[in-house]
Amino acid sequence: MRASNVLVVDEAKPPFMPAKPNVPVNSAVGLFCGIFLGLGFVIFRTRFDRSIQAPGDLQAFLNLPELGVIPMAGVCDTPAVKNAKALAPADPNDCLELVTWKHKPSAVAESFRAMLTSILLPGQSSESPQVIVVTSPGPAEGKTTVASNLSIAIAEMGRRVLLIDGDLRQPKLHKIFGSSNARGVSDVLLADTQLETVPQNQLVLETRINGVSLLPSGTRTNNISQLLHSPRMEALIARLRSDFDMIIIDAPPMMHLADARLLGGLSDGVVLVVRAGHTMREAALVASQRLSEDGTRILGTVLNSWDPRKTPGRTYGYGYGYGYGYGYGQSVEAKHPSTPHA
């Protein structure tokens, strides 16, 4: 045997941690990459998402007062409403458009009452409006819901209010209130009788809500813009002013139609309704500019269907509750909540 010059200095010991991968270094790299990608996504989404998102956006972009914010709350899926729908099927939007009447102690109903307070409080150089036009930049933004609940809130104050369906192309108010549409605005404008001699009960319809009267759109016609632009429409509004304390006109959307602009010229002010996450800033800006160019007074804007959960980084003070049993913190749902209000 030959002698070896290899000596064992220290015996080999198994390491406590693997040499690769280096977890601390990889975690730090992943953290910074995630932060970078997250910031990039937020900047990209903010830059290319041009829709109105949260309260305060309208006032910043349009320089118009924000009359109210209507939260996206679920009141249609309570057990009582489910039973009522099972017994008598109705329009699926009926509950939202009559929420101020059907669900008086609710967050949404209080939002409409707060909006009415903003409208009725006179400004520094103007009086409270009597004839109000409710419109929106585009379709499906909740103008009919706002007009209906606003009328109900006015009637709760003991005032006589008339709700006019100014959307002669796609009327909806007669379905909401369960009234006939055999005679309405178009029929009155096409008639030859003197408006001063027509009794009030032949012009408007009484609804099941105390204090709320309805003038439906009537039978459809092809010359809608001509009818609204006729002197008879102005005479009709003048006649109804003397019969009611306030008149709410549900007008068609602003884009591509001149009906809302024509009705706005006959009113004391216009309320512009936008839908959170749906209405584009450019569309709202164009609508307000057209009304301003016409010399129409814009009372303010209403942000509809706002979901505060989509803007968790902002605080708007909606977490308080009321003594009669509800609070915004638990009542705000998406569209179809699984539980009723607390």
Side-chain angles (χ1 to χ4, degrees), residues 12-16:
K13 297 180 180 180
F16 294 100

Side-chain angles (χ1 to χ4, degrees), residues 17 40 60 66 76 121 157 172 181 222 224 266 278 314 317-318 321 323 333 339 341:
M17 297 179 62
E66 193 171 65
C76 293
L121 288 178
M157 300 174 58
K172 188 178 180 182
N181 196 32
N222 296 327
I224 296 176
L266 303 176
H278 178 81
R314 304 184 187 180
Y318 282 85
E333 300 292 338
T339 57
H341 292 289

Side-chain angles (χ1 to χ4, degrees), residues 39-99:
L39 291 176
F41 175 76
V42 170
I43 295 175
F44 177 83
R45 181 177 180 180
T46 304
R47 184 176 180 85
F48 289 95
D49 187 4
R50 306 295 297 174
S51 62
I52 303 296
Q53 294 291 338
D57 292 349
L58 286 170
Q59 192 168 3
F61 292 116
L62 304 182
N63 196 21
L64 293 173
E66 193 171 65
L67 300 175
V69 178
I70 312 301
M72 182 183 292
V75 295
C76 293
D77 288 345
T78 58
V81 175
K82 287 183 177 181
N83 296 334
K85 288 183 178 181
L87 296 177
D91 186 82
N93 296 324
D94 179 72
C95 180
L96 293 177
E97 288 152 351
L98 300 178
V99 62

Side-chain angles (χ1 to χ4, degrees), residues 208-231:
R208 49 185 173 171
I209 303 176
N210 187 23
V212 178
S213 301
L214 175 65
L215 179 58
S217 63
T219 57
R220 296 187 180 183
T221 181
N222 296 327
N223 53 350
I224 296 176
S225 298
Q226 297 179 5
L227 287 178
L228 297 179
H229 199 64
S230 64

